[in-house]
Amino acid sequence: MSMHRVLTALGCALTAVLASAAAPAPTQAAPTGPARPATTVRTQDGLVRGAAHDGYRTYEGIPYAAPPVGRLRWAAPRPAVPWRGVRDATRPASACPQPAGEVPGGSTDEDCLRLNVTTPDDTRTAHPRPVVVWLHGGGFTTGAGSSYDAHRMATRGDVVVVTVDYRLGALGFLAHGGLPGSGTFGLADQQAALRWVRAEIGAFGGDARNVTLAGESAGGYSVCAQLASPAAAGLFDRAVIESGPCTGRPDRPFAPSSVLLSAARAMGSDLAAKVGCGSAHDVMACLRSVDVTRLLAAQETDQQPAYTTPLLPDDPAAAVAAGRFHRVPVLIGSNHDEGNGWAAGIVRAGNPVDPGTWPDVAAAFFPSPGQAEAIVREYPVHDTDGGPVFGAVIGDADFACPTAGAAGLLAVRVPVWRYEFADEHAPPLTPGTPPFPLGAPHASELPYLFDLGGRPRDLTAAQYRLADAMIDYWTRFARTGDPDGPSTPHWSRRTVLSLEPDHIVPTRTAQRRHHCAFWDALR
């Protein structure tokens, strides 16, 4: 295994630790607030009984498509099967199959195409509420919609929030010759969920004509993919992209990206061989008979959607550059210290970054001739700053600069609002003491928008004010396509979200210099 693959795997392991520290098993999660008598809503597939809480209601584990099992494993999502009687929607459903991480112990339940609805208590409003559809992150291999308790966003912002589970890993992105939908089953699931929202959300008080598609990390990149997917036309009206820049590249391994269908098919062939189906007369029939546990053990750590496919004809980066994307307003951004969590995990795992090791570490991630030397010159490491410097390289190369580039390309054709989350005292999402201060690393904005795993947010009074302001910005954008409003400081087209020390500071200039011209020249 190459040094690049080893360190990437360590980064993925760190992400899983981060997620599991933030969110217990979905089946253990419970919305905050005392429960009230259940409430029932009629959908086209049948009645669902949710739970009423203090000021909001939740409906969990609602099927939006048929279980992708048996012959439907690696098939396009089919309509959900209607049910008789009243379906209990007071507890989250199982997460989609995945290794242990965000979901302690993992999951092997393929009957997972479910979604969760959180709505303010009064569903008899004069006007339907804007809808936010949230796509979770997790590198397309882990994550669960039920990890994101959205009641604060729903009640403060007066919106309906839908969190979605979609197929992950090899079950979501396997590609094989002759298999329709190769490499994009997870993206197809997201579109099926959006179609469900258009058809059903009115029963929950939501406005089916005002839907914002939002996500973070792999979820943010999924939003990019849906912007570029012809099949997603008309399914959403605004887009929020958090730390998942549309211009991700496979050679920058920490940010999500897509791969050519031919490369995805090669990975699919490798998977088939690993589980004993490579030489089978009917490879797909053989694969559909393989136990989920074996598939999870055999799949690659890295998973990406495939392009040059019917659902995703172009790499989203190329589609955005060429203007081939849906014309909806976009709110896009990243965190000030995106790379520090990965850098800290790699250092903690026994890979020090110091002046002596820095050239080799840089070469492990940027093996093309001359790249590592240029990076070492641009980002010099001194005696004690190796970890933060490595974090800055990851953050600039994989997130900050691609986000700036994507925002500029999108802004040529649609209204774009760009942010940087920069609370240097953001609560840590991993246990223990890191080898250096992490600042605002990848995913650190999430506790400001959600209670992760049903846990109340551990924020200071000033951070609660920042969290309230962020929810105001996000939900106002969902309502009107413009985050500005009278209750928050003015949002310029490039806004920094931080504390100084007791209030929010949006500014017109970034608070640190991103070396984007350097990274553009390094391509």
Side-chain angles (χ1 to χ4, degrees):
M1 181 180 285
S2 68
M3 182 65 167
H4 178 283
R5 177 71 71 180
V6 168
L7 297 186
T8 301
L10 287 168
C12 292
L14 174 75
T15 304
V17 170
L18 178 153
S20 62
T27 55
Q28 298 172 352
T32 304
R36 292 178 175 178
T39 182
T40 301
V41 168
R42 181 178 297 277
T43 73
Q44 294 179 13
D45 295 317
L47 296 168
V48 293
R49 184 182 69 250
H53 305 271
D54 188 9
Y56 67 101
R57 301 185 182 205
T58 55
Y59 303 82
E60 300 180 276
I62 302 174
Y64 65 84
V69 298
R71 64 183 180 85
L72 296 185
R73 183 190 275 184
W74 297 305
R78 307 292 175 84
V81 179
W83 55 87
R84 294 181 179 180
V86 180
R87 187 182 189 97
D88 181 19
T90 62
R91 294 176 60 84
S94 296
C96 284
Q98 58 191 276
E102 178 172 334
V103 178
S107 173
T108 58
D109 190 352
E110 293 182 77
D111 182 5
C112 66
L113 299 187
R114 312 289 186 90
L115 51 76
N116 314 291
V117 179
T118 303
T119 182
D121 200 26
D122 183 7
T123 59
R124 298 183 299 276
T125 57
H127 302 286
R129 295 180 170 92
V131 181
V132 177
V133 177
W134 178 259
L135 304 177
H136 67 77
F140 294 114
T141 58
T142 64
S146 57
S147 293
Y148 298 83
D149 179 341
H151 79 275
R152 296 181 192 276
M153 182 181 291
T155 55
R156 182 175 179 87
D158 196 32
V159 297
V160 178
V161 183
V162 180
T163 64
V164 178
D165 286 291
Y166 54 94
R167 281 174 283 183
L168 301 167
L171 290 165
F173 300 97
L174 176 81
H176 194 272
L179 177 63
S182 275
T184 58
F185 299 108
L187 298 181
D189 294 341
Q190 296 167 7
Q191 293 180 2
L194 287 167
R195 288 191 291 271
W196 185 97
V197 168
R198 287 291 202 205
E200 304 282 9
I201 205 65
F204 299 86
D207 186 352
R209 298 171 298 177
N210 186 2
V211 175
T212 296
L213 184 61
E216 184 267 345
S217 195
Y221 191 79
S222 294
V223 177
C224 295
Q226 302 300 353
L227 281 170
S229 173
L235 293 182
F236 57 98
D237 307 285
R238 320 191 201 289
V240 176
I241 302 166
E242 301 179 25
S243 301
C246 301
T247 50
R249 295 163 43 180
D251 63 343
R252 305 283 167 84
F254 294 103
S257 62
S258 56
V259 296
L260 271 167
L261 178 58
S262 57
R265 284 177 173 170
M267 288 188 286
S269 295
D270 289 343
L271 177 75
K274 287 179 182 178
V275 298
C277 292
S279 58
H281 174 69
D282 187 334
V283 173
M284 290 311 305
C286 179
L287 283 170
R288 288 188 173 108
S289 70
V290 174
D291 183 76
V292 171
T293 303
R294 288 183 63 201
L295 291 172
L296 293 178
Q299 72 182 18
E300 290 288 332
T301 301
D302 302 325
Q303 296 287 328
Q304 298 94 14
Y307 64 93
T308 60
T309 59
L311 188 145
L312 197 60
D314 296 319
D315 183 344
V320 167
R324 294 190 295 269
F325 59 88
H326 304 304
R327 301 296 192 258
V328 300
V330 176
L331 190 156
I332 184 172
S334 60
N335 297 350
H336 187 277
D337 306 293
E338 288 276 3
N340 277 0
W342 281 290
I346 290 166
V347 170
R348 183 183 285 169
N351 299 276
V353 180
D354 54 42
T357 63
W358 180 220
D360 290 335
V361 172
F365 288 93
F366 301 93
S368 297
Q371 284 193 342
E373 293 87 343
I375 291 166
V376 169
R377 288 194 301 270
E378 182 75 7
Y379 295 82
V381 167
H382 304 96
D383 290 340
T384 61
D385 63 355
V389 170
F390 185 26
V393 168
I394 296 171
D396 288 354
D398 289 34
F399 293 96
C401 297
T403 296
L409 293 169
L410 291 163
V412 172
R413 293 173 171 85
V414 298
V416 171
W417 303 87
R418 181 181 163 203
Y419 75 88
E420 180 182 75
F421 176 78
D423 181 5
E424 63 180 333
H425 303 294
L429 296 181
T430 53
T433 303
F436 57 88
L438 299 184
H442 190 64
S444 59
E445 88 284 8
L446 293 177
Y448 294 70
L449 299 172
F450 302 97
D451 286 9
L452 297 180
R455 296 179 182 177
R457 299 174 293 183
D458 184 18
L459 304 178
T460 67
Q463 288 170 332
Y464 267 107
R465 286 191 285 276
L466 175 57
D468 287 346
M470 289 174 63
I471 288 174
D472 290 347
Y473 284 134
W474 265 237
T475 56
R476 196 177 296 116
F477 175 79
R479 179 168 281 103
T480 68
D482 184 339
D484 261 330
S487 64
T488 48
H490 174 68
W491 182 303
S492 70
R493 285 304 174 99
R494 189 168 77 179
T495 286
V496 175
L497 302 169
S498 64
L499 310 174
E500 193 191 64
D502 198 40
H503 61 282
I504 305 140
V505 185
T507 68
R508 292 183 179 273
T509 59
Q511 290 185 329
R512 78 175 198 185
R513 175 175 172 259
H514 296 304
H515 304 264
C516 295
F518 167 79
W519 290 107
D520 287 342
L522 198 65
R523 283 181 174 270

